[in-house]
Amino acid sequence: MKLHHAALWLLPLGLIAAPASRAEGLYLNGGLLLRHYDLSQPGADRGQDGDGDGHSLTGKVSGGYRFNDTWAIEGGYVSFGKPSHRFSRGGLPGEVRTKGDAWFGAVRASTRLGENLTLFGKIGLDRHRFDVQASGEAAGPARRRRTTALYLGAGLAWRLDQHWSTTVELEHFGREKKPGNALNGVSVGLQYNF
């Protein structure tokens, strides 16, 4: 099942869960995002740093307001890092450097699976920036892209005490043409509940 299908199925779960006013309040979340990227170039020889396929570990911050145990609104910022790839094509050197980030806003629906474990799903929009710079005779043209896309997330939160929780989440920030492809990732975070 694709990530966006799973996230869309999680939202109706919020209608089943019983709201409780004791859960009202603000929360802040900081964490790390692990994302796969593919900067491989068609017809290029294997580069000094491999084939351009790899992972980046970057930061993420978010915050939101819980209306009850079920519903919340959330917004945040995530960095996609600055992956790069050096290669050659026909004996000519080239390099591709990328950087990107996104701002997102979403509705979050949650349901408790146990005393300390909560399942949540998010749906909203993100505004992401993705820049590609190229150099060398073998590199293609540079480009800069700003896009609004569907943002989806699904994950689990484990409550440590009254104020602190840990989270793990699958996130989708839309798609980007190569290099980069889908802007998906897995994030882990620490959440403070006011």
Side-chain angles (χ1 to χ4, degrees), residues 109-122:
S110 303
T111 188
R112 288 183 187 245
L113 299 178
E115 186 177 335
N116 294 321
L117 186 63
T118 302
L119 173 70
F120 62 87
K122 297 188 286 190

Side-chain angles (χ1 to χ4, degrees), residues 6-7 9-20 22-23 66 68-72 107-122 153-159:
W9 280 103
L10 289 175
L11 285 176
L13 290 176
L15 298 174
I16 299 168
R22 64 179 166 77
R66 285 182 318 282
N68 52 47
D69 266 353
T70 305
W71 299 106
V107 174
R108 176 175 167 162
S110 303
T111 188
R112 288 183 187 245
L113 299 178
E115 186 177 335
N116 294 321
L117 186 63
T118 302
L119 173 70
F120 62 87
K122 297 188 286 190
L156 295 168
W158 179 263
R159 189 177 61 159

Side-chain angles (χ1 to χ4, degrees), residues 99 129-133 141-147 176:
K99 80 177 171 179
R129 173 182 62 97
F130 199 74
D131 297 338
V132 178
Q133 298 175 341
R143 64 186 172 92
R144 175 173 280 181
R145 185 174 160 98
R146 308 288 186 267
T147 304
E176 185 59 44

Side-chain angles (χ1 to χ4, degrees), residues 4 13 16 42 48 52 58 66 70 74 92-93 105 130 133-134 146 152 171 188 194:
H4 65 279
L13 290 176
I16 299 168
Q48 299 169 351
T58 59
R66 285 182 318 282
T70 305
E74 183 172 310
L92 300 173
F130 199 74
Q133 298 175 341
R146 308 288 186 267
L152 299 169
E171 295 182 272
V188 292
F194 291 92

Side-chain angles (χ1 to χ4, degrees), residues 6 8 24 37 41 67 70 80-82 90 133 143 160 188-189:
L8 289 174
E24 285 181 12
Y37 63 85
Q41 301 295 304
F67 297 103
T70 305
F80 296 131
K82 298 179 181 180
Q133 298 175 341
R143 64 186 172 92
L160 301 171
V188 292

